[in-house]
Amino acid sequence: MNKLVMNFLVTDGYAEAVAKFRMETGTKSDMDVAMIMDRMAVNKAVQCGNVEDAIEKVNDLNPKILDTNPELFFHLQQQRLIELIRNEKIEAALEFAQEELAPRGEEHQSFLEELERTVSLLVFKDVSNCPVRELLDISQRLKTANEVNAAILTSQSHEKDPKLHSLLKMLIWAQNQLDEKATYPRIKDFSKATLENPAV
């Protein structure tokens, strides 16, 4: 159980908790705290909209991550464009889209479609009426940050998702399968591990 908790803490980037949990339980992690903190610095930069800083930090960690993952690099550059639009730097946004993103869109059709969606933000003075306004939501930053986090973890030979999440999904699936075939003491509340008595 301690290894599952440690895996969760490492994967989700809780560096201080990893150090404390290691001290209290003696459970070893396959990643040192400094590596976790470096990864979380990249994550924080993306979440704060400092995409150039995030790209620099990723390249400091491992330049091959962006070199071998054109989709991730495009999404970071797309996020950079979104930040220019968010900060109302319209001329800079148009120039950036034309010089940096358009050539990538010519190489990959899916990139071109995403670029067109992003540039459409420029058409609307009031983005609340824009059909792609979700690109300006914080959730877009989180989506990009999670993608970067997963790529860094993969480059460090670590799972990109905590094992605990997979186990919970499997448990829910197993319960749903059992519901159709048998009565049993079902887990009612996963956060408290309370059981529901089977109906007789």
Side-chain angles (χ1 to χ4, degrees):
M1 186 58 94
N2 285 347
K3 286 182 180 180
L4 274 176
V5 172
M6 182 61 85
N7 174 269
F8 171 79
L9 295 173
V10 167
T11 305
D12 279 6
Y14 298 106
E16 289 179 28
V18 166
K20 287 181 182 177
F21 193 71
R22 182 184 301 146
M23 261 181 26
E24 291 178 10
T25 66
T27 306
K28 294 182 173 137
S29 73
D30 56 349
M31 190 177 295
D32 69 4
V33 174
M35 288 174 69
I36 297 169
M37 291 177 79
D38 289 343
R39 183 167 43 90
M40 289 300 97
V42 173
N43 198 302
K44 184 177 180 181
V46 175
Q47 289 184 29
C48 291
N50 302 324
V51 181
E52 290 175 73
D53 185 39
I55 291 171
E56 189 177 306
K57 288 179 186 307
V58 169
N59 284 329
D60 289 345
L61 285 173
N62 183 348
K64 291 182 181 178
I65 293 172
L66 296 178
D67 289 345
T68 59
N69 193 336
E71 185 174 12
L72 175 63
F73 185 66
F74 176 82
H75 287 148
L76 280 166
Q77 295 290 58
Q78 178 187 27
Q79 189 63 45
R80 194 168 157 195
L81 175 61
I82 290 167
E83 299 305 330
L84 289 170
I85 294 168
R86 181 191 316 275
N87 295 318
E88 298 179 4
K89 296 180 178 178
I90 306 308
E91 285 185 37
L94 286 169
E95 185 178 323
F96 182 75
Q98 188 175 14
E99 291 178 10
E100 298 293 330
L101 294 174
R104 296 182 195 293
E106 291 172 5
E107 296 169 14
H108 301 279
Q109 182 63 32
S110 63
F111 294 174
L112 184 60
E113 291 167 9
E114 288 187 59
L115 176 59
E116 287 171 352
R117 286 184 70 229
T118 306
V119 171
S120 71
L121 289 167
L122 294 169
V123 175
F124 294 84
K125 284 191 176 194
D126 179 13
V127 291
S128 64
N129 296 325
C130 181
V132 293
R133 66 183 168 272
E134 74 276 358
L135 292 175
L136 292 171
D137 290 343
I138 297 303
S139 62
Q140 178 65 30
R141 284 182 179 172
L142 292 174
K143 179 181 168 186
T144 305
N146 288 337
E147 187 178 354
V148 173
N149 188 51
I152 294 170
L153 284 167
T154 301
S155 78
Q156 295 170 337
S157 301
H158 194 281
E159 304 95 352
K160 60 183 180 178
D161 295 313
K163 291 178 182 175
L164 197 54
H165 290 194
S166 300
L167 286 173
L168 282 174
K169 287 179 186 175
M170 210 178 313
L171 180 59
I172 291 168
W173 176 84
Q175 279 197 166
N176 290 337
Q177 295 298 308
L178 275 172
D179 285 346
E180 298 172 9
K181 299 175 181 160
T183 56
Y184 62 98
R186 189 176 205 286
I187 298 176
K188 180 178 179 179
D189 183 352
F190 284 96
S191 64
K192 297 177 184 169
T194 55
L195 297 177
E196 188 177 87
N197 288 329
V200 182

